[in-house]
Amino acid sequence: MIRYEIAATTVTTAPPERVFAVLDDFSNWPRWMPSLERVRIELPPNDHPRQGYRFKLHGMFVHAEMEVIDYTPLSRATRFRISFPPFQGINRCRLVPLDDGRYRIERLDQLELPDLVAHVIDATQRKRFEQLALEFLHALRRVVEQTPNGTITSSSPTGQSD
């Protein structure tokens, strides 16, 4: 098993409640999160995000099992297991208050790849993972700074409004 980390940061004017309202709204991830446009999200009925909360992502070729493992006022973390290529890891977002009233959003991805998968993923693919982490933070910042209550108001990918 080979492990590596990808870290990215940005600064936002949005308060933690707004940031986490967007992050915790799993059903709306495909509306703003890069590379999830064609992913269906399966949430448990009548349950709310918290530590231990589990849900699934279904793409055309990729499926993922997700579990919230950290749920605090300034951080969230999700453990994931991807079906193809098979690997697992943790995505963590932490907000750090700054002296000027803004917040630094820190994203840390910890990936655990089987040796065979790690050898196939070259430096180019790792750069792509790093780029996706930055795109994620920029998209998150854009959403939380443009919507006062942190909700997504665009229509769903199927063209239907929720």
Side-chain angles (χ1 to χ4, degrees):
M1 187 74 63
I2 295 177
R3 294 178 175 94
Y4 67 89
E5 294 184 348
I6 297 169
T9 64
T10 192
V11 174
T12 185
T13 57
E17 300 79 21
R18 189 175 310 157
V19 173
F20 291 125
V22 170
L23 283 177
D24 293 344
D25 188 2
F26 303 120
S27 64
N28 279 314
W29 279 6
R31 293 186 180 167
W32 66 269
M33 196 180 292
S35 73
L36 285 187
E37 300 88 11
R38 296 185 182 137
V39 172
R40 182 175 55 85
I41 299 176
E42 180 184 328
L43 301 174
N46 304 317
D47 202 358
H48 302 285
R50 58 177 165 65
Q51 190 161 337
Y53 183 86
R54 294 173 185 263
F55 60 103
K56 295 179 181 180
L57 305 179
H58 301 281
M60 185 176 290
F61 300 108
V62 177
H63 304 282
E65 295 180 13
M66 314 286 286
E67 179 184 4
V68 175
I69 60 169
D70 181 22
Y71 193 89
T72 70
L74 293 177
S75 66
R76 298 290 193 271
T78 306
R79 181 185 346 247
F80 63 87
R81 181 178 302 274
I82 304 287
S83 63
F84 182 79
F87 71 97
Q88 63 188 11
I90 295 173
N91 300 117
R92 185 175 305 278
C93 277
R94 186 170 77 116
L95 272 68
V96 178
L98 302 176
D99 292 336
D100 60 3
R102 299 180 305 156
Y103 292 85
R104 183 175 62 246
I105 304 173
E106 299 175 344
R107 177 180 168 144
L108 178 63
D109 298 333
Q110 298 168 308
L111 306 177
E112 297 178 8
L113 303 145
D115 292 343
L116 178 62
V117 173
H119 293 299
V120 171
I121 294 177
D122 60 6
T124 303
Q125 185 59 44
R126 183 175 170 130
K127 285 287 186 195
R128 178 70 181 132
F129 285 149
E130 292 169 355
Q131 183 62 35
L132 283 172
L134 284 172
E135 289 173 8
F136 165 86
L137 284 180
H138 291 150
L140 175 61
R141 186 181 66 210
R142 184 177 56 251
V143 169
V144 299
E145 290 180 358
Q146 289 180 353
T147 56
N149 60 1
T151 60
I152 310 294
T153 57
S154 64
S155 63
S156 67
T158 60
Q160 300 172 335
S161 295
D162 290 335

